[in-house]
Amino acid sequence: MSAFSVFWRYGRQLLAASFVIVASGQAGAIQNRPLTINDLAQPPSIRTIQMSPDGRQVAYLQRTNDFHALARATGAAHREDPDNLHHRLLLVDLSGLAEAPPREIDLGTDIPVGVSWVGPDRLIVGAIATSEDNGHMPPQRRSRVPYYRFYWRLVSIDIATGQRDVLFGDDEAWEMRAADNFAEVVHPLPGEPDHILVAAHRNSNFDLWRLDLATGDEERVERGGSNTVQWAANEQGRAMFRLDVDVDDDRARIYRRRSGSDRWSRDETLSLDEFVDYIHRANRSIWAANTDDDNTVLVAVRPEGAERRGVYEFDLEADEIGEQVWEHPTYDLATVLRDELSDRMIAATYLDDRVRTHFFDRRLNAHFQALTAYFEADAVVYPLDVTANALLLFVTGPQEPGSYYAYTLDTSEVRPLAAVNPALLGTRLSRVTSERVTTRDGLVIDVFVTHPAGTAPGAALPTVVMPHGGPESRDSFGFDPIAQYFAAEGWRVLQPNFRGSEGYGRSFASAAHGEWSRAVQNDITDTLDWAINSGLTVRDRVCIAGFSYGGYAALAGAFATPDAYRCVVSVAGITDPEAFIDWSRENRPDAVEYWTRQIGDPVSDSDTVRAMSPVHQIDRMRAPILLLHGNEDDVVPMSQTSMMSDALEAAGYDYRVRIIRGAGHNFETPLGLGRTLALMEAFMGEYLDEVQPDDRDSWQTLTEAVRINLPEFRRLTGMPDPDADAPNGLRDLLGATTSETDERETLQPPPPPQD
């Protein structure tokens, strides 16, 4: 059996006639407040949420507005990253009164980062502990033994009594702080309610331990090595898989224990490059679930010659795909839901215009489809946890920014739990419709139209065409914060799933290969023509804007249909595909084949590649252009924006460029997203609106430099001396614009990462 085969199995970390809706503070909110960037840029309120195995309780981490001790100690208490904010552990008893507030579990001074149920009344909390608060005091004199101000530890909590026990003992946890991966729960051992299986470091080895949850006592059950990085166990909690990675030796070693045997055998030794290739193969052909046969698993793949992605058997011994288990007749499989303990497949999901879930258990599927029908008109329902008598649900939609619910099968009770972003509950959100548009060559594509709240149905409005990223990604019916923000400005938003979008089968995806600025762009143009002919769009007030591939598509629209758009915004877009493939060859060699298939071969098909390159087609462009890029983008290098900026400058073109400091490819931080949206709004507003709203910041206001007396500011705020200040710490704190840091007109490559 190959290592690749072994990886699949072990290398993976009623119909209700009516529903009872239990009241909560989030239900029935009146949406009448204008939407703001501040509303959208709030860090998520919920960090993690889980239902207990018996379906009676739900535990979650809820964000506070206070920075935790580690953030303060490391100078990060001015950054809005949710990882720097303290979270509290809350517990909801689903058998209690609906109006009862969640119960807070006391964690002392621990900083919780994750929770996991290991029994109906037992939680494991992964936490960061403060050394001095737990008796680990700094040494009085210099010592060769390192001292840690903070350290990771696992805490076992008895829900009934509130008793907390540090697993392994607190002294041992403190001493193991040097390990990169201190500990992780491998298996809850349901047959032993007072024990769990944990992988943890001890004396530099990553061993497997059986832990007593009541006492914290441990028993080593398997020995790992200093290079062991992963363990996995079967349904009974028996260790069956181990992975060792030796960076110095450039080797990854995969070990397996055969069914019925006590002996470990090394299945394969790989170079790290070969192992990385296995990981990428895993991403393309995802292990889906186990079966009753130890030598057969289920994988989610689109086999060679198949049109759609489905669930197939995979023979571990023969290393080959077997019979098909499930496939949707029209759409690709999206994901597979598994039972947490047995790893058996319990449901499959796919997307038509939205996510759909099909459970294989008839009773459970009847309940879920009834739930979906209840929420259907305005929302999408995602099952997160599934137990014998309850479901944990995430419900979202255009006018529902995301809330968690518990559903009890016996009573058909739907109980609201928590909202992802409470700030949005009272805002005016816009409705979205799913449309089907026929393109010039007869292809039918899905288009999602966001209609600004408060406007007359069917009224012609200024419009933003917003192609998605990818290109093998897609849009779907749901809550899109960027589309909602633009709609709040009174602009209709068009989001086409052009050819090449995922979920529609092999032929639909491959129809985009080599056609980026041709057939794909025609789909986008045909979507705009449909909106104009339908009376939804004012013809001479249209801008095109996109992120990543959508940024490329915006620039392609500028030269493919130069008269269609009054302005163009490209955020982290590819501008020179040939140079991007060259960069990928050096930095992401595993992606070169994919991009060459998508774009074309820069050597054998250089004319085609050059013809689709915005940097080489500036003479065909007319509309003003805004280029935005995060200086920490490691997916599309900032040099792509630099090259486009240089070419536009040399051509004397009307353009603007800003670099968003601290932003990655997906603009993950609230400040990065907020700055990006504000700049896009100010720029597009000049071309879409005849009169600028009083509450909109102008481009000049957003981009003027801020000058501050630093010594006085430090005195007023109690900031440390300059030598102790982190780079750009002041401007991180203020979120102020500066020409040399936040957004630079003269582009420079991003600095090397700091330790």
Side-chain angles (χ1 to χ4, degrees):
M1 182 189 304
S2 73
F4 180 50
S5 302
V6 179
F7 182 84
W8 287 132
R9 188 171 189 94
Y10 299 110
R12 75 260 187 290
Q13 294 267 82
L14 146 107
L15 186 59
S18 62
F19 293 101
V20 180
I21 304 298
V22 182
S24 82
Q26 75 207 49
I30 299 174
Q31 297 180 313
N32 57 11
R33 181 169 57 80
L35 182 67
T36 68
I37 287 179
N38 187 58
D39 295 325
L40 289 172
Q42 292 296 311
S45 176
I46 307 301
R47 180 171 190 141
T48 184
I49 184 168
Q50 278 199 354
M51 179 173 279
S52 62
D54 60 1
R56 294 189 298 106
Q57 302 180 91
V58 173
Y60 59 95
L61 294 178
Q62 183 186 65
R63 173 182 58 82
T64 71
N65 292 322
D66 299 323
F67 290 100
H68 54 59
L70 179 60
R72 294 195 299 270
T74 56
H78 53 272
R79 298 181 187 140
E80 74 292 340
D81 189 322
D83 287 343
N84 295 327
L85 296 171
H86 190 72
H87 290 69
R88 57 183 188 148
L89 176 57
L90 299 180
L91 187 73
V92 177
D93 184 351
L94 298 178
S95 63
L97 296 175
E99 58 270 19
R103 169 188 164 197
E104 182 171 1
I105 304 296
D106 180 22
L107 297 176
T109 60
D110 279 1
I111 304 166
V113 295
V115 298
S116 178
W117 289 96
V118 294
D121 294 299
R122 178 74 64 171
L123 273 175
I124 299 296
V125 179
I128 299 171
T130 305
S131 296
E132 292 190 28
D133 291 343
N134 292 281
H136 307 294
M137 308 307 292
Q140 297 299 312
R141 61 185 63 183
R142 184 170 298 176
S143 171
R144 292 183 179 179
V145 179
Y147 176 79
Y148 310 108
R149 296 173 61 190
F150 299 89
Y151 61 104
W152 291 95
R153 66 182 186 181
L154 295 178
V155 180
S156 170
I157 300 178
D158 185 317
I159 296 302
T161 65
Q163 175 68 33
R164 290 183 294 149
D165 296 288
V166 179
L167 300 184
F168 292 105
D170 194 69
D171 289 340
E172 290 82 356
W174 189 83
E175 291 169 357
M176 290 189 284
R177 173 62 181 88
D180 291 334
N181 51 337
F182 155 59
E184 61 185 35
V185 177
V186 174
H187 200 280
L189 299 179
E192 301 180 61
D194 294 329
H195 294 83
I196 59 172
L197 205 61
V198 171
H201 276 274
R202 179 70 62 85
N203 298 326
S204 300
N205 291 332
F206 198 49
D207 299 332
L208 201 59
W209 305 82
R210 180 175 174 269
L211 262 67
D212 188 312
L213 294 170
T215 66
D217 294 341
E218 72 275 2
E219 173 193 358
R220 183 190 285 114
V221 295
E222 297 288 349
R223 289 184 180 274
S226 59
N227 297 316
T228 301
V229 297
Q230 184 182 10
W231 292 90
N234 64 11
E235 185 177 354
Q236 290 73 38
R238 179 176 171 79
M240 303 296 287
F241 171 89
R242 187 183 113 197
L243 172 65
D244 290 6
V245 175
D246 188 338
V247 176
D248 295 332
D249 192 33
D250 188 37
R251 287 292 180 267
R253 298 176 175 88
I254 296 176
Y255 298 85
R256 183 193 180 207
R257 171 184 280 149
R258 262 75 177 179
S259 179
S261 172
D262 291 330
R263 298 183 58 184
W264 287 92
S265 61
R266 188 166 69 196
D267 272 9
E268 201 157 349
T269 298
L270 314 166
S271 72
L272 293 187
D273 285 342
E274 290 172 327
F275 180 67
V276 169
D277 180 60
Y278 278 145
I279 298 299
H280 288 297
R281 287 174 66 188
N283 288 336
R284 293 194 297 269
S285 302
I286 300 173
W287 170 85
N290 287 344
T291 70
D292 294 333
D293 181 353
D294 281 349
N295 291 318
T296 303
V297 297
L298 301 182
V299 293
V301 294
R302 184 192 292 143
E304 192 68 32
E307 175 61 24
R308 284 171 294 279
R309 189 166 177 255
V311 180
Y312 290 79
E313 292 182 347
F314 188 89
D315 188 314
L316 294 172
E317 295 293 346
D319 197 13
E320 64 184 18
I321 293 175
E323 293 184 5
Q324 183 187 95
V325 176
W326 187 88
E327 180 187 84
H328 190 274
T330 306
Y331 301 101
D332 285 326
L333 170 81
T335 59
V336 165
L337 279 66
R338 299 185 299 272
D339 177 81
E340 196 168 299
L341 290 178
S342 69
D343 278 330
R344 301 302 192 267
M345 181 172 67
I346 60 175
T349 72
Y350 63 94
L351 287 89
D352 42 27
D353 70 326
R354 64 192 71 193
V355 175
R356 311 282 184 178
T357 303
H358 174 77
F359 283 91
F360 297 106
D361 178 86
R362 293 181 62 184
R363 173 175 176 266
L364 188 56
N365 194 56
H367 274 279
F368 189 79
Q369 300 312 320
L371 272 170
T372 301
Y374 173 80
F375 286 109
E376 180 73 8
D378 301 311
V380 182
V381 183
Y382 298 84
L384 300 181
D385 285 342
V386 180
T387 71
N389 189 47
L391 301 174
L392 178 63
L393 308 171
F394 180 67
V395 179
T396 185
Q399 294 172 298
E400 164 55 271
S403 296
Y404 296 97
Y405 293 80
Y407 173 70
T408 304
L409 274 69
D410 287 347
T411 62
S412 298
E413 178 185 299
V414 179
R415 181 163 175 171
L417 298 172
V420 172
N421 187 348
L424 289 172
L425 293 178
T427 60
R428 282 199 301 267
L429 297 176
S430 300
R431 68 184 182 93
V432 173
T433 59
S434 301
E435 310 290 349
R436 301 278 281 171
V437 173
T438 302
T439 67
R440 66 191 68 183
D441 61 355
L443 186 68
V444 178
I445 63 174
D446 288 324
V447 176
F448 302 94
V449 184
T450 305
H451 306 272
T455 59
L461 297 173
T463 295
V464 177
V465 179
M466 196 165 72
H468 62 69
E472 284 192 52
S473 180
R474 62 168 293 154
D475 285 311
S476 63
F477 184 86
F479 181 77
D480 186 317
I482 299 173
Q484 285 289 335
Y485 185 71
F486 293 154
E489 296 305 305
W491 308 333
R492 183 166 275 120
V493 181
L494 306 178
Q495 296 173 272
N497 276 348
F498 44 80
R499 68 193 68 201
S501 301
E502 71 173 351
Y504 297 94
R506 183 188 300 273
S507 300
F508 193 91
S510 61
H513 295 174
E515 294 288 334
W516 280 20
S517 64
R518 296 181 298 199
V520 173
Q521 207 63 37
N522 288 344
D523 293 347
I524 297 170
T525 303
D526 292 346
T527 297
L528 174 58
D529 290 343
W530 166 85
I532 293 172
N533 294 333
S534 300
L536 299 176
T537 292
V538 179
R539 182 183 296 273
D540 61 352
R541 284 200 283 163
V542 181
C543 289
I544 184 169
F547 292 70
S548 192
Y549 176 83
Y552 165 84
L555 293 172
F559 68 77
T561 51
D563 296 325
Y565 305 108
R566 290 201 64 189
C567 73
V568 174
V569 181
S570 174
V571 185
I574 295 173
T575 66
D576 187 336
E578 180 178 359
F580 178 71
I581 290 177
D582 288 341
W583 176 86
S584 298
R585 191 170 285 111
E586 293 294 324
N587 296 276
R588 294 177 178 268
D590 55 286
V592 172
E593 179 184 351
Y594 171 82
W595 289 117
T596 302
R597 184 171 65 250
Q598 280 284 341
I599 296 168
D601 190 325
V603 176
S604 63
D605 201 10
S606 59
D607 290 343
T608 298
V609 174
R610 187 179 182 89
M612 67 170 62
S613 302
V615 74
H616 296 304
Q617 303 298 326
I618 293 174
D619 59 337
R620 298 169 59 189
M621 299 179 181
R622 297 179 188 173
I625 292 173
L626 170 62
L627 303 173
L628 299 172
H629 215 121
N631 72 329
E632 295 184 6
D633 191 339
D634 61 357
V635 176
V636 175
M638 210 169 66
S639 58
Q640 287 286 309
T641 288
S642 178
M643 287 185 287
M644 190 69 188
S645 174
D646 290 345
L648 291 168
E649 183 70 24
Y653 199 91
D654 181 6
Y655 81 102
R656 304 174 204 180
V657 58
R658 310 303 286 184
I659 300 303
I660 309 299
R661 177 181 42 77
H665 188 67
N666 295 317
F667 293 80
E668 297 87 352
T669 66
L671 180 59
L673 176 61
R675 289 289 300 161
T676 301
L677 291 180
L679 291 166
M680 294 175 75
E681 175 198 346
F683 176 75
M684 291 193 294
E686 295 177 15
Y687 303 97
L688 294 178
D689 294 331
E690 296 176 346
V691 178
Q692 300 300 307
D694 293 336
D695 61 352
R696 177 181 295 160
D697 288 327
S698 68
W699 179 269
Q700 180 178 358
T701 299
L702 288 171
T703 57
E704 64 186 359
V706 176
R707 304 190 183 281
I708 302 170
N709 183 316
L710 292 183
E712 177 66 11
F713 187 85
R714 291 180 189 280
R715 184 186 68 78
L716 292 173
T717 61
M719 288 181 66
D721 293 333
D723 290 343
D725 220 5
N728 299 326
L730 172 65
R731 293 179 175 90
D732 277 334
L733 176 62
L734 297 179
T737 304
T738 66
S739 59
E740 64 275 0
T741 57
D742 193 12
E743 291 128 3
R744 295 185 288 272
E745 296 288 2
T746 302
L747 301 181
Q748 301 292 333
Q754 301 294 314
D755 292 331

